[in-house]
Amino acid sequence: LQMNHSGHYSCGGWVDSELSSWAHSVLVTVTVHGALLSGVSLSVQPPGEQVALGDHLVLSCLVAMGTGPLSFSWHREGSRAPLGTGPRLELRHIGDNDSGRYHCRASDGDNMAESPTLNITVL
């Protein structure tokens, strides 16, 4: 269901009788309301908060509820600029400077919700 599905609807069909005729239902109005953005969480592959130097790490930003389209941004504590803008953040060839507290933000244009922080430690 999308926001643009709001509108006026009716149904019709042939009534099976001696004098087959087309019958129409009454018009109904359907209004689709947006769902408040909530339930933003992180998943990590491989699982766990510790990763070996040089490994590959993928963080995914998950949204339990919200009306799209959604936009995403990735942040690490102490870094001013966002690290990425998609629902996934790939860290290839992890280095010492990649240790830190990560979180994502999801926005539907009107509301913003933030995930809990994930503390990544590079071993």
Side-chain angles (χ1 to χ4, degrees):
L1 196 59
Q2 301 292 320
M3 296 295 285
N4 64 348
H5 290 143
S6 292
H8 305 290
Y9 291 87
S10 68
C11 66
W14 288 103
V15 177
D16 190 19
S17 67
E18 292 178 15
L19 304 170
S20 285
S21 63
W22 184 260
H24 232 280
S25 72
V26 295
L27 200 63
V28 295
T29 301
V30 174
T31 304
V32 179
H33 298 280
L36 187 61
L37 188 62
S38 64
V40 178
S41 62
L42 290 180
S43 73
V44 59
Q45 284 298 325
E49 295 185 19
Q50 296 183 336
V51 62
L53 190 66
D55 276 0
H56 181 92
L57 186 69
V58 178
L59 302 175
S60 296
C61 192
L62 309 171
V63 177
M65 188 177 297
T67 304
L70 300 176
S71 62
F72 299 90
S73 62
W74 288 92
H75 306 272
R76 184 176 64 224
E77 192 174 278
S79 177
R80 292 184 183 191
L83 304 172
T85 57
R88 292 170 28 117
L89 176 66
E90 292 191 47
L91 302 172
R92 299 176 183 272
H93 307 292
I94 295 288
D96 288 330
N97 59 341
D98 291 317
S99 286
R101 299 171 59 82
Y102 290 80
H103 69 273
C104 70
R105 290 182 185 144
S107 173
D108 62 8
D110 295 320
N111 303 293
M112 189 270 297
E114 197 167 285
S115 74
T117 301
L118 183 65
N119 190 23
I120 299 295
T121 302
V122 178
L123 304 173

